C-alpha cells in the first residue's frame, strides 16, 4: 500500500487552476483502494507571504471546503491543518540543522520569490525544510505535486538521507514525487499561467453575477462578430475545452470557424457550462463555508489521526538526537 501525501497552501481561495491541476488529480489518486492518502492545508507555509490572520482563517476554510466540494473522502483518508500538528514545526527545526545553507540558497523557487517579493523573510528561505518535515513525518511514499516542486522533493530526500546517515538506519522514509506530465498548465484570463500571484484567476465558487464579470474580462482579439475566428488561439475557447463535453467543444469550434459567432457568445457559453458542471461542488463549498462547526469537526478528526502518526516519527527522531525524555 502506497502512502500518498500532498499539501496546498492557504494563501487564497482555490481557483480553477488549483482545482484542475491539484485537487481533482489528488482526489483521483485517493480513490485507489491501494492508496492511503494524507492531504493537508499548508497554513504555516502561507505565513511566509500572508500575514493577516483573519484572511488566513478564511482561506484555510476555503481550501478545506474545496477538497470536500469535489468529493474528498475524509473518513477513508487523513485531512488536517498543518499548524494544528505541532510536530511539523518541531521536525522542521531538527531538519534545519541537517540542511546545508547552499542547498537553500540555490533553491529556484526561493530565488524567484526573492526577486518578486518585498518581504524576503527567513521563513521563505527555510520553506523547503518545513515541506520536508511535512512529508517525512508521515513516512509518505508518493508526493503528487506540480513541476515547480521537483527541487523541493530532491531536497527532502537529501535531508532525510543526511539524517538517516547519522542515525545509522532508515528512520525517515525517502519519498518520490509524482509529477503528472499530462496535467496541463491552466491559462488565466490573460493567457498567462493562472495564478493567485498574477491576479488572472477564475474563482469558480463566486456568486453567478461575479463569476460572469470575471469571465467577461477574458482577453480576446478584436475580430468582429461576423468574422471567422481561430479557436486554438483564443483563451475563452481554451478554458471551455477544459470544462465542456466533447460534443459541445466540437460545436463551439465550428461556430468559431464559421463566423457570425462573437466572443461574447463564447463567454456566455463558458459561464453556463461552469455553472452546470460545478453546480454540486458550488453547493457543497457554500454549505461548508456557512457551516463552520461541521468543517471544524472534520478537520479536528483528521488532526487527531495525523498527530498520532506524527508523534511516532518524532519520538524516533528525538531518540536519535538525544531529546527523548
Ligand atoms: P498559485 O500559482 O495560484 O499560487 P499554488 O502555487 O498555490 O498556486 O499551487 C497549488 C497547486 O495548484 C500546485 O499543485 C500547482 O501545481 C497547482 N496549480 C496552480 N496553478 C495551476 C495552473 N495554472 N495550472 C495547473 N495547475 C496549477
Ligand atoms: N510547497 C507546496 C506548493 O506550494 C505546498 C506544500 C507544502 C507541499 N508542504 C508540502 C506539497 C508537502 C507536497 C508535500 O504547492
Amino acid at each position: 500500500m502506497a502512502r500518498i501525501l500532498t499539501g496546498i497552501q492557504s494563501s487564497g481561495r482555490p481557483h480553477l487552476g488549483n482545482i484542475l491541476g491539484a485537487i481533482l488529480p489528488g482526489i483521483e489518486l485517493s480513490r485507489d483502494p491501494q492508496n492511503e492518502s494524507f492531504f493537508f492545508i499548508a497554513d504555516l507555509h502561507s505565513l511566509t507571504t500572508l500575514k493577516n490572520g483573519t484572511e488566513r482563517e478564511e482561506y484555510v476554510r476555503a481550501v478545506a471546503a474545496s477538497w470536500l466540494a469535489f468529493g474528498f473522502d475524509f473518513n477513508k483518508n487523513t485531512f488536517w491543518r498543518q499548524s494544528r500538528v505541532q510536530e511539523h514545526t518541531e521536525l522542521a527545526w531538527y531538519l534545519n540543522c541537517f540542511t546545508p545553507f547552499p542547498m537553500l540558497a540555490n533553491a529556484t523557487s526561493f530565488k524567484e520569490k526573492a526577486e518578486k517579493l518585498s518581504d524576503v523573510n527567513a521563513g521563505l528561505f527555510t520553506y523547503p525544510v518545513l515541506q520536508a518535515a511535512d512529508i517525512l513525518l508521515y513516512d509518505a511514499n508518493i508526493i503528487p505535486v506540480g513541476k515547480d516542486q521537483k527541487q523541493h522533493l530532491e531536497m527532502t530526500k537529501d535531508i532525510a538521507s543526511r539524517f538517516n546517515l547519522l542515525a545509522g538506519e532508515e528512520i525517515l522514509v525517502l519519498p518520490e514525487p509524482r509529477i503528472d506530465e499530462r496535467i496541463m498548465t491552466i491559462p488565466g484570463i490573460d493567457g498567462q499561467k493562472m495564478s493567485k500571484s498574477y491576479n488572472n484567476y477564475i474563482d469558480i465558487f463566486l456568486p453567478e453575477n461575479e463569476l460572469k464579470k470575471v469571465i467577461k474580462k477574458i482577453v480576446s482579439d478584436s475580430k468582429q462578430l461576423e468574422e471567422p475566428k481561430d479557436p486554438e488561439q483564443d483563451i475563452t475557447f481554451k478554458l471551455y475545452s477544459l470544462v465542456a463535453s466533447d460534443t459541445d467543444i466540437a460545436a463551439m469550434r465550428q461556430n468559431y470557424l464559421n463566423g457570425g459567432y462573437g466572443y461574447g457568445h463564447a463567454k456566455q457559453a463558458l459561464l453556463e457550462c461552469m455553472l452546470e458542471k460545478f453546480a454540486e461542488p458550488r453547493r457543497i463549498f457554500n454549505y461548508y463555508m456557512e457551516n463552520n462547526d461541521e468543517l471544524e469537526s472534520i478537520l479536528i478528526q483528521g488532526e487527531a489521526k495525523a498527530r498520532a502518526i506524527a508523534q511516532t516519527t518524532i519520538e524516533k527522531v528525538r531518540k536519535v538526537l538525544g531529546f527523548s525524555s
Side-chain angles (χ1 to χ4, degrees), residues 18-275:
N18 302 141
I19 289 164
L20 301 180
I23 296 185
L24 286 177
I27 292 177
E28 188 65 34
L29 273 176
S30 75
R31 292 216 166 105
D32 183 338
Q34 299 294 320
N35 294 340
E36 197 186 352
S37 292
F38 287 71
F39 292 173
F40 69 95
I41 303 163
D43 53 353
L44 292 171
H45 278 110
S46 76
L47 184 58
T48 58
T49 49
L50 174 73
K51 299 293 185 286
N52 184 303
T54 314
E55 278 178 29
R56 187 176 348 276
E57 273 175 15
E58 196 214 318
Y59 297 156
V60 165
R61 279 189 277 126
V63 173
S66 303
W67 282 107
L68 299 173
F70 284 94
F72 181 62
D73 181 347
F74 57 86
N75 286 314
K76 171 179 180 262
N77 305 294
T78 306
F79 182 46
W80 75 103
R81 277 167 295 202
Q82 180 193 32
S83 62
R84 297 302 175 95
V85 179
Q86 290 171 7
E87 285 73 11
H88 287 252
T89 40
E90 183 177 343
L91 184 59
W93 174 255
Y94 302 149
L95 297 181
N96 262 317
C97 302
F98 286 80
T99 307
F101 175 83
M103 187 161 116
L104 293 179
N106 285 326
T108 319
S109 80
F110 172 73
K111 285 195 268 186
E112 277 173 10
K113 286 182 195 165
E115 269 173 29
K116 266 198 307 202
L117 301 173
S118 52
D119 168 25
V120 183
N121 55 68
L124 204 62
F125 189 67
T126 60
Y127 181 114
V129 186
L130 180 58
Q131 182 163 354
D134 299 337
I135 296 169
L136 300 170
L137 265 183
Y138 298 95
D139 296 347
N141 311 107
I142 297 173
I143 318 297
V145 280
K147 292 185 201 98
D148 58 321
Q149 298 293 310
K150 202 171 170 194
Q151 197 183 24
H152 289 173
L153 266 292
E154 281 158 10
M155 291 168 144
T156 302
K157 286 206 269 184
D158 190 325
I159 298 169
S161 306
R162 287 166 194 270
F163 179 86
N164 288 342
L165 192 66
L166 175 88
E169 56 177 312
E170 282 255 328
I171 303 261
L172 301 175
V173 173
L174 268 55
E176 283 304 327
R178 165 91 46 102
I179 296 164
D180 192 339
E181 300 291 344
R182 288 167 314 171
I183 296 173
M184 54 182 305
T185 302
I186 314 299
I189 59 170
D190 58 357
Q192 285 193 81
K193 176 191 176 227
M194 186 178 291
S195 170
K196 270 163 289 200
S197 8
Y198 304 147
N199 207 8
N200 64 352
Y201 56 87
I202 299 180
D203 176 350
I204 63 150
F205 300 119
L206 284 176
E208 183 174 338
N209 55 344
E210 288 178 41
L211 185 58
K212 187 174 181 157
K213 280 190 208 148
V214 176
I215 290 179
K216 270 197 171 160
K217 286 195 215 148
I218 299 174
V219 174
S220 61
D221 62 26
S222 54
K223 287 211 172 73
Q224 298 302 305
L225 185 127
E226 60 280 3
E227 289 180 74
K229 300 172 182 69
D230 181 357
E232 309 311 329
Q233 296 303 321
D234 182 54
I235 305 163
T236 306
F237 182 79
K238 279 187 196 151
L239 289 165
Y240 190 73
S241 308
L242 294 166
V243 289
S245 68
D246 289 348
T247 329
D248 289 345
I249 299 168
M252 188 183 277
R253 175 177 284 115
Q254 205 50 57
N255 283 330
Y256 269 63
L257 297 172
N258 291 347
Y261 184 82
Y263 292 121
H265 293 127
K267 288 177 182 177
Q268 182 61 28
L270 175 62
L271 173 69
E272 282 165 18
C273 176
M274 282 195 177
L275 290 173

